[in-house]
Amino acid sequence: MNAPTSSLPDGTSRSPGRGRPRDATRDTALRTAAMEVLADVGYRALTMDAVAARARAGKATIYRRWESKLDLVIDTCNELVQRNIPEPDLGSVPADLGEFLRAFAAFLTGPAGKAAQALVGELPHERELADAFRESFLLPQRNVLRRIVERGVERGEISPQAPMDTVVELAGAALLHRLMLTGEPLDDRFVDRLLQDALLPLLRRDG
Amino acid sequence: MNAPTSSLPDGTSRSPGRGRPRDATRDTALRTAAMEVLADVGYRALTMDAVAARARAGKATIYRRWESKLDLVIDTCNELVQRNIPEPDLGSVPADLGEFLRAFAAFLTGPAGKAAQALVGELPHERELADAFRESFLLPQRNVLRRIVERGVERGEISPQAPMDTVVELAGAALLHRLMLTGEPLDDRFVDRLLQDALLPLLRRDG
């Protein structure tokens, strides 16, 4: 097990397991440790002990907050997505899609993407995990994309007959496919090509 | 460990580990066992022992043919793809794309898809496995799609300025994203929608 490589976000150091009241900074440090352990060893091999060791916390501290590793991983996933998936509203579909997809690509390129990848192989075997992963990770991303396109329809920028569902699905698929399967770069250049070659032309069709 | 649930493809039964010459039927049975174990327990937990038990073979039989689990898994992957990914040549891009994508979706929906999914979480940790997975699983699929579109360009059916690379990438991404992440159906209806809403309109653009 590796020792933790970073101090707590607020820069203080704390001794673990003293039964102090829960605080948000501590929760964030524990979730960060959970994400790192997940990325390193995968869901199946993740233990509450390993997360505690990585966060220099007592196991009891973790169990006071999350009742199981499923609970911890789902909460970590939820919180990461909420903190990292922006919803731009810049007044045009190309600007909003570009902003969102660049941010999502950057998010996936970081440690969260490794953690997400570590979960994917487990989804067929872990029904609750699969449901939670879809609800907390895939759905918010898809909903932001959908709202971006719907605002374009309201402004008269996009035809209501454009294949909105397909475009929303393909945008997420393209990024996650590179992250998890091909290993090709998930950079601004890729996002721009995806927009110019595929997503924007499809949205400009009249159905 | 589960007992094998099917007899050998040729219907004979054989006692394991007698040092007989390698034969193709036996190799196929061993690869099928490897694919099933991989789908059940994942790459990390797969052992040559488990594959041997599933195939009712001796461990020595397996080691005579493959020198490591990496070697066994890669060979299994190669052989599955070669047997199951067709290259239609029906004279039109819509017909060829439809035929290929329906066959690829059916292949992914079966046990091979579960095995592929079990590998994905390991790709960041296993460099050789990642390289082999990309070469034996992703590249052949992408090459078939590319040749289908290139034949369309040669026939004058598709403009040489169409965004071929993007279309080829999105076709694979759309199917694999459903298989591995969203769990939504990978059926003919989905393939048809993908073709009509996205792939064919993009190929009909003039760049």
Side-chain angles (χ1 to χ4, degrees):
Chain A
M1 207 57 55
N2 295 332
T5 53
S6 58
S7 56
L8 291 171
D10 64 0
T12 61
S13 91
R14 295 157 192 224
S15 56
R18 297 276 178 76
R20 82 181 70 70
R22 279 155 30 181
D23 73 75
T25 308
R26 161 97 313 193
D27 283 0
T28 300
L30 291 168
R31 287 196 201 93
T32 301
M35 184 184 71
E36 290 170 358
V37 173
L38 185 59
D40 279 0
V41 305
Y43 181 75
R44 207 175 288 210
L46 179 145
T47 62
M48 298 295 244
D49 277 337
V51 175
R54 172 84 55 135
R56 288 201 187 114
K59 194 167 167 177
T61 308
I62 297 196
Y63 274 108
R64 269 195 299 279
R65 179 68 184 82
W66 298 280
E67 66 183 23
S68 65
K69 78 174 189 180
L70 178 68
D71 190 26
L72 170 59
V73 166
I74 290 171
D75 180 56
T76 297
C77 199
N78 268 317
E79 203 272 345
L80 267 173
V81 167
Q82 276 165 25
R83 243 183 330 125
N84 290 285
I85 296 202
E87 181 156 356
D89 189 1
L90 302 167
S92 92
V93 169
D96 284 351
L97 282 182
E99 181 83 5
F100 172 73
L101 292 175
R102 284 188 292 270
F104 190 50
F107 170 63
L108 292 176
T109 307
K114 284 205 179 56
Q117 182 150 16
L119 289 178
V120 169
E122 295 305 320
L123 301 184
H125 304 289
E126 301 273 351
R127 179 59 177 272
E128 275 186 282
L129 180 69
D131 290 346
F133 178 79
R134 283 162 193 156
E135 198 174 317
S136 67
F137 184 82
L138 294 177
L139 206 60
Q141 168 256 122
R142 203 177 266 205
N143 286 342
V144 173
L145 286 165
R146 181 178 309 279
R147 284 191 295 265
I148 287 172
V149 177
E150 283 171 352
R151 285 197 301 270
V153 173
E154 283 161 22
R155 285 191 299 262
E157 198 184 342
I158 304 287
S159 158
Q161 272 76 51
M164 196 184 303
D165 291 342
T166 302
V167 170
V168 164
E169 184 171 343
L170 285 179
L175 270 60
L176 290 162
H177 180 246
R178 284 211 159 193
L179 172 73
M180 297 194 178
L181 288 160
T182 74
E184 291 162 297
L186 255 182
D187 53 15
D188 290 359
R189 192 157 159 252
F190 169 64
V191 167
D192 286 345
R193 179 160 73 78
L194 179 66
L195 277 172
Q196 300 306 327
D197 279 3
L199 305 182
L200 296 176
L202 290 173
L203 288 174
R204 288 183 188 127
R205 293 180 66 225
D206 271 342
Chain B
M1 210 54 56
N2 295 330
T5 53
S6 60
S7 55
L8 290 170
D10 62 2
T12 61
S13 94
R14 295 157 192 225
S15 56
R18 298 276 178 73
R20 83 181 70 70
R22 278 155 31 182
D23 73 75
T25 308
R26 161 91 324 184
D27 284 359
T28 299
L30 291 168
R31 286 196 202 94
T32 301
M35 182 184 71
E36 290 171 358
V37 172
L38 185 59
D40 279 0
V41 304
Y43 181 75
R44 206 175 288 213
L46 179 145
T47 63
M48 298 295 243
D49 276 337
V51 175
R54 173 84 55 134
R56 289 202 186 112
K59 194 168 167 176
T61 307
I62 295 194
Y63 274 108
R64 268 196 299 278
R65 180 67 184 82
W66 298 280
E67 67 183 22
S68 66
K69 79 174 186 179
L70 179 69
D71 189 28
L72 169 59
V73 165
I74 290 171
D75 180 58
T76 297
C77 199
N78 269 318
E79 203 271 345
L80 267 173
V81 167
Q82 276 165 25
R83 244 184 328 127
N84 290 285
I85 296 202
E87 180 155 357
D89 190 1
L90 302 167
S92 93
V93 169
D96 283 351
L97 282 182
E99 181 83 5
F100 173 74
L101 291 175
R102 283 188 293 270
F104 190 50
F107 171 62
L108 292 176
T109 306
K114 283 204 180 59
Q117 181 150 16
L119 289 178
V120 169
E122 296 304 320
L123 301 184
H125 305 289
E126 301 273 352
R127 181 60 177 273
E128 274 185 284
L129 180 69
D131 291 346
F133 179 80
R134 283 162 193 154
E135 198 173 317
S136 66
F137 184 81
L138 295 177
L139 206 61
Q141 169 255 122
R142 202 177 266 204
N143 287 343
V144 172
L145 285 166
R146 181 177 309 279
R147 286 192 294 266
I148 287 173
V149 176
E150 283 170 353
R151 286 197 300 270
V153 173
E154 284 162 22
R155 284 190 301 262
E157 198 184 343
I158 305 286
S159 159
Q161 271 77 49
M164 197 184 303
D165 290 342
T166 302
V167 170
V168 164
E169 184 171 344
L170 285 179
L175 270 59
L176 290 162
H177 179 246
R178 284 209 160 195
L179 172 72
M180 297 194 178
L181 288 160
T182 74
E184 292 163 298
L186 254 182
D187 53 15
D188 290 359
R189 193 158 157 250
F190 169 64
V191 168
D192 285 345
R193 179 160 73 78
L194 178 67
L195 277 172
Q196 300 306 326
D197 279 2
L199 306 182
L200 296 175
L202 291 173
L203 288 173
R204 287 183 188 126
R205 292 178 66 225
D206 271 341

